[in-house]
Amino acid sequence: MSTWVRTAEPSVDADAPRRLVGAESGADRAFVVSMRAIGTTVLLITGGIGLFLALQAWPTLRHYGLSFFTETQWEPEADVIGIGSVLVGTFSVALVALVVAFPLALLTALYISEYAPARLRGLLVSMVDLMAAVPSIIYGLWGFFVLQPHASAIAHWLHVHLGWIPFFTVEADADAAVWEQSRYTASAFVAGLAVAMMVIPMACAVMRQVFSQAPTGEREAALALGATRWGMIRSVVLPFGRGGIIGGTMLGLGRALGETIAVLLIISPAFDLKIRVLEVGTNTVSALIAGRFGEANGAQLAALLTAGFVLFVITLIINTLAAVVVARSRSGAETDA
Amino acid sequence: MTILDSPPPAGGTTVRHEPPSLDAGPAPRPLTTTTAEDRLVMAGSWVAGFAMAWLLTQRLLPWQGGLVLGLTTFACSMAVLAVASAMTTSASVVRDRLASTTVHAAAAVVGAALVWTIGFIFARGLEALPHLNLITEDMSGVGPRDPFDRGGILHAIAGSLIQVGIAVAITVPLGIGTAVFMTEVGGRYARIVRTVVEAMTALPSIVAGLFIYTTLIIGLGVDRSGLAAAMALAVMMLPIIARASDVVLRVVPGGLREASLALGASRWRTVWHVVLPTARPGLATALILGIARGIGETSPVLLTSGAASFLVVDPTDGVMNSLPLFIYTTVRSGEPMYIARAFAAATVLLVIVLALFVAARLLARPPKGLR
């Protein structure tokens, strides 16, 4: 008696998903069509804005060429228009905001995810979200009325003791018996501090989320090997959350670049190309638009739109990079589980 | 898998029947313990640090100001803590203590800044807030020296509500519809829409205002009005709400959709009766946070609405005020009485945002007994 064994290989594609073809009802077709119509409408609106800005920017960019980015003055009467100084101002406000917000956001995120008692954690997360929901004009008022005197004192201190660093010089007598407080107010530094209050919750929320996804097994392994809590954070949480730290900071940077009203309330507009962030007077792209739109005629309006378009493109690039970085760190979390 | 206590009697198998424990796994152990020594070293370092900082800033060096004192206190305390810990413990414990102190201090600074901001706005708002006419009258004919029992911010509150109401009426159907299109219909075209919508969330709000100003007010000759302001807000909020709704709809479990389809429901019934109800708390949260963002946003309104000092209820009828714009313009005027009114308006704005925020939190909480 013998047994025959079938030796044929089983078909590999036996499990291929079948095509699910159901008769689409009329209601379904109407649903798909109407959703497609809504999607198209939104695509036209949002895409139209981007296209409109680009089209408006084109003649201006062709007329002024590269000097649009390097020229520091904004004198439409003399046909001299450029965003050199406002771009530098925008970035100096944003950098001050980041320098202040980055450590605070990182440490606050670490506190919430690693140090805070578990009972408080939900409340603290809500507080951070609340901080993000507070309108920017409120932070502007706070910066203008409360922070300004303190910040100018700090600015004076920085000038006196660290004045040899180009960022911290102010064109005023450092050793004067009575220091000129007005030279240290309405600066990119004070505006940056107010903007930092808006950057902190954004960056902190992203960082906290990524930190809380750090694998429990590795945390416990580090602790079991005798690491202190900080040793565990440094060897497990921070390397794991690197993507979230970078991405969250960049998202915050995108917010800081576009902020208008808090900056407008605090700074006094000036068109000097300068990196002296402590000194009175600076300007940002959004403050330029808010300050100059009223008196603008056709060509100037196009120039303002071009400035806005440049700001939009910069923000878009930063946001996209941030999204890529954060997404990459998240995908790592999934493979580990 | 079952575990048997004793050898099974012949002829049968006994299975130990125990209901599985509901809270899987033991409760998390406390991972670190703080001893009395830790706490005493910590407290002593702060006291010593403060004393050193006070001596340094108030007696030895001409540094004034509370912030400087605070920063110096922190630096001195860290130094004392490092030295005190190094005397008894290893380097890694010193680093751990320093890191822990820094983390706690930073979190306290952020919390204090938030409380300081909100407390300051409320404290300054108290001056003009107790007068009831603040929310029943407008500012027509009220001069900068008039007492607080004349005039109010009714026009600004009404304007904010009307403008945000119109913006919400435009953006919510479009935003949620787009999110449904992107998640439920799908396809390459939907991916293009998603890419563009996500890109447009980067649009700075001032540029949204400038776009409406250029097209509607300069291009089409529409007056500055509540409608133009509402359009600017809508342009700003549309990508935000569409994207937030998209995120919410994407986390609806696919199994629910498949179950509904397998039971014979059509696609739109699946969306209407399964997907949207499941996502309702999340959608409501996204929506309310979008509204809070819109009601507090000043820059698009600054360019498009113009500031009226009287009550306007018709959004197509000329200039109209709103809360953020009222705050901005009155603070800029520099008149002390006007600034007090601005703070009262800021308090009202903050209360509205806080109420919206709390509503969003309550809605986002899963209903009791379900989970």
Side-chain angles (χ1 to χ4, degrees):
Chain A
M1 211 167 146
S2 62
T3 318
W4 290 91
V5 178
R6 203 161 70 160
T7 51
E9 296 271 328
S11 156
V12 176
D13 51 4
D15 262 353
R18 290 155 299 153
R19 259 183 71 79
L20 297 174
V21 189
E24 278 209 338
S25 68
D28 262 1
R29 235 168 289 145
F31 164 73
V32 170
V33 167
S34 58
M35 284 304 123
R36 201 169 287 254
I38 290 179
T40 309
T41 314
V42 172
L43 180 71
L44 287 180
I45 294 174
T46 51
I49 296 168
L51 213 61
F52 176 82
L53 288 174
L55 284 179
Q56 290 283 317
W58 179 243
T60 311
L61 287 177
R62 212 175 44 182
H63 180 67
Y64 295 101
L66 261 185
S67 77
F68 185 76
F69 295 98
T70 54
E71 174 59 48
T72 59
Q73 295 302 306
W74 189 276
E75 286 163 358
E77 301 80 21
D79 199 30
V80 175
I81 281 181
I83 55 170
S85 59
V86 288
L87 267 189
V88 172
T90 307
F91 275 100
S92 57
V93 170
L95 283 185
V96 170
L98 272 197
V99 165
V100 175
F102 173 72
L104 286 177
L106 177 64
L107 294 172
T108 308
L110 278 180
Y111 174 74
I112 295 177
S113 79
E114 307 299 322
Y115 285 91
R119 285 175 293 119
L120 277 182
R121 206 161 284 161
L123 181 72
L124 290 171
V125 172
S126 292
M127 290 278 278
V128 171
D129 290 346
L130 173 67
M131 205 173 160
V134 170
S136 57
I137 185 140
I138 302 277
Y139 289 126
L141 288 177
W142 181 71
F144 184 74
F145 285 99
V146 181
L147 210 54
Q148 187 117 281
H150 295 287
S152 59
I154 291 181
H156 181 241
W157 188 90
L158 284 172
H159 175 210
V160 171
H161 296 92
L162 298 168
W164 45 272
I165 303 174
F167 292 109
F168 294 152
T169 46
V170 177
E171 284 183 352
D173 185 8
D175 305 318
V178 178
W179 58 288
E180 284 180 88
Q181 186 162 16
S182 61
R183 295 293 296 167
Y184 298 90
T185 54
S187 59
F189 175 64
V190 185
L193 288 184
V195 174
M197 289 291 286
M198 297 165 231
V199 176
I200 288 173
M202 279 191 92
C204 180
V206 176
M207 291 179 189
R208 183 199 58 79
Q209 210 166 10
V210 177
F211 289 161
S212 67
Q213 288 168 347
T216 319
E218 287 181 31
R219 281 168 197 266
E220 295 192 344
L223 291 171
L225 286 171
T228 56
R229 196 192 292 235
W230 172 246
M232 183 272 284
I233 290 173
R234 228 187 49 184
S235 56
V236 176
V237 177
L238 289 183
F240 181 85
R242 195 184 296 129
I245 297 174
I246 299 171
T249 312
M250 289 175 82
L251 274 183
L253 179 62
R255 171 84 202 259
L257 289 174
E259 175 49 40
T260 312
I261 208 73
V263 176
L264 195 61
L265 217 84
I266 289 171
I267 63 166
S268 66
F271 283 96
D272 318 331
L273 182 79
K274 62 177 177 190
I275 54 168
R276 304 187 296 273
V277 293
L278 301 179
E279 191 177 287
V280 59
T282 183
N283 215 338
T284 68
V285 173
S286 43
L288 172 78
I289 295 174
R292 292 300 178 99
F293 79 98
E295 64 209 43
N297 60 24
Q300 293 174 42
L301 207 56
L304 286 178
L305 281 167
T306 312
F309 179 66
V310 171
L311 180 65
F312 168 57
V313 170
I314 294 174
T315 316
L316 178 59
I317 292 171
I318 290 173
N319 279 6
T320 311
L321 285 177
V324 168
V325 172
V326 174
R328 195 171 287 168
S329 80
R330 293 256 169 81
S331 64
E334 278 156 26
T335 53
D336 191 88
Chain B
M1 197 158 37
T2 54
I3 303 160
L4 303 178
D5 287 331
S6 51
T13 323
T14 3
V15 177
R16 198 164 72 160
H17 181 75
E18 235 178 44
S21 160
L22 275 180
D23 43 353
R29 291 151 297 155
L31 293 176
T32 48
T33 48
T34 48
T35 59
E37 190 206 332
D38 293 344
R39 282 193 290 271
L40 286 176
V41 167
M42 194 70 87
S45 306
W46 278 108
V47 172
F50 178 73
M52 280 169 72
W54 186 82
L55 194 66
L56 267 177
T57 57
Q58 312 295 313
R59 285 292 174 268
L60 299 179
L61 293 168
W63 299 346
Q64 255 92 57
L67 272 184
V68 175
L69 179 64
L71 290 175
T72 326
T73 303
F74 178 68
C76 292
S77 307
M78 292 289 276
V80 175
L81 180 65
V83 173
S85 305
M87 286 160 70
T88 52
T89 57
S90 65
S92 63
V93 176
V94 174
R95 276 200 294 274
D96 181 49
R97 282 188 187 167
L98 290 182
S100 163
T101 314
T102 317
V103 166
H104 281 88
V109 164
V110 172
L114 177 63
V115 172
W116 190 10
T117 310
I118 295 179
F120 166 72
I121 297 290
F122 275 91
R124 287 288 299 265
L126 271 184
E127 198 181 343
L129 210 54
H131 305 276
L132 193 67
N133 56 303
L134 186 81
I135 51 170
T136 56
E137 289 180 21
D138 58 25
M139 287 293 284
S140 56
V142 179
R145 300 284 165 87
D146 282 337
F148 290 129
D149 50 14
R150 285 197 58 204
I153 55 167
L154 176 67
H155 60 307
I157 299 176
S160 265
L161 294 182
I162 292 170
Q163 288 169 13
V164 171
I166 297 174
V168 166
I170 297 170
T171 49
V172 167
L174 284 181
I176 294 184
T178 312
V180 168
F181 173 63
M182 293 190 288
T183 52
E184 305 302 319
V185 177
R188 199 189 314 159
Y189 182 51
R191 275 202 296 281
I192 296 174
V193 175
R194 178 176 286 150
T195 311
V196 172
V197 165
E198 286 193 353
M200 291 313 285
T201 52
L203 187 75
S205 57
I206 185 89
V207 181
L210 189 64
F211 169 75
I212 293 294
Y213 179 76
T214 314
T215 51
L216 221 59
I217 295 180
I218 300 292
L220 298 178
V222 179
D223 282 336
R224 288 183 170 207
S225 59
L227 190 67
M231 287 299 164
L233 287 177
V235 161
M236 188 204 82
M237 284 161 66
L238 181 57
I240 296 176
I241 289 191
R243 189 185 183 186
S245 315
D246 178 41
V247 170
V248 170
L249 288 184
R250 264 199 274 184
V251 299
V252 171
L256 287 179
R257 282 188 199 101
E258 284 164 19
S260 166
L261 290 172
L263 285 170
S266 63
R267 284 172 78 179
W268 79 267
R269 273 180 172 279
T270 304
V271 169
W272 189 250
H273 290 291
V274 176
V275 176
L276 287 181
T278 312
R280 191 187 292 143
L283 283 178
T285 310
L287 193 64
I288 290 174
L289 290 182
I291 294 174
R293 178 86 192 272
I295 208 165
E297 196 65 62
T298 321
S299 28
V301 183
L302 178 69
L303 269 61
T304 48
S305 91
S309 63
F310 42 85
L311 181 64
V312 180
V313 285
D314 181 1
T316 57
D317 179 27
V319 291
M320 193 182 212
N321 217 327
S322 61
L323 277 173
L325 190 60
F326 176 82
I327 298 168
Y328 177 72
T329 46
T330 43
V331 161
R332 269 290 158 109
S333 72
E335 298 282 349
M337 302 280 276
Y338 269 5
I339 292 179
R341 288 177 197 272
F343 274 102
T347 312
V348 171
L349 177 63
L350 205 49
V351 167
I352 294 177
V353 170
L354 286 180
L356 286 172
F357 185 78
V358 171
R361 283 290 131 187
L362 291 182
L363 278 172
R365 191 176 292 169
K368 281 207 175 100
L370 249 175
R371 258 167 244 181

